[in-house]
Amino acid sequence: MEKRNNTYHLALKELSLKDGSQGEKTLEFDFDNHDDIFKIFDVIQSKNIFESEQTAHEFALGLKLFTEVMIKNKQHPLFEELRPAIMEFMKKLKSQ
């Protein structure tokens, strides 16, 4: 049986740049994740790890995007040294 994933659409738009100019670039793409990312947002927010809801959302989204790429590319040498640390980090995060 094929494992099912959740599918999401991400739209990113530059609003302004640090040099004061207006952003012009956009990026949109679809991606799959084995977790319900909106549920992860709620869980991270409920743990009160960060004072700001926006920071909690940024953290959760970044972590889920990164770790899903690691899972899908677990044999890639780029992740070899990082994998054990990420596994420990995830255990610590889930235990909070």
Side-chain angles (χ1 to χ4, degrees), residues 22-39:
Q22 184 173 347
E24 297 176 0
K25 297 178 184 175
T26 61
L27 174 68
E28 291 191 42
F29 62 94
D30 296 335
F31 66 97
D32 295 330
N33 198 288
H34 70 278
D35 285 322
D36 177 340
I37 293 179
F38 286 95
K39 184 176 179 181

Side-chain angles (χ1 to χ4, degrees), residues 2-87:
E2 184 179 331
K3 185 175 180 182
R4 294 191 169 274
N5 287 314
N6 300 301
T7 303
Y8 299 93
H9 179 80
L10 183 66
L12 182 66
K13 179 181 179 181
E14 280 183 339
L15 299 178
S16 62
L17 303 176
K18 64 182 178 181
D19 66 4
S21 64
Q22 184 173 347
E24 297 176 0
K25 297 178 184 175
T26 61
L27 174 68
E28 291 191 42
F29 62 94
D30 296 335
F31 66 97
D32 295 330
N33 198 288
H34 70 278
D35 285 322
D36 177 340
I37 293 179
F38 286 95
K39 184 176 179 181
I40 299 294
F41 288 154
D42 293 339
V43 169
I44 295 296
Q45 184 64 33
S46 72
K47 291 178 181 275
N48 292 315
I49 299 170
F50 304 102
E51 291 182 23
S52 160
E53 182 178 3
Q54 179 175 330
T55 301
H57 288 161
E58 290 172 9
F59 170 76
L61 181 60
L63 184 63
K64 291 312 304 170
L65 288 172
F66 180 76
T67 55
E68 192 72 14
V69 169
M70 267 187 58
I71 289 168
K72 290 177 181 176
N73 297 278
K74 57 181 117 186
Q75 300 305 321
H76 196 291
L78 181 63
F79 301 118
E80 187 175 328
E81 294 176 11
L82 190 55
R83 190 176 310 107
I86 291 292
M87 290 175 67

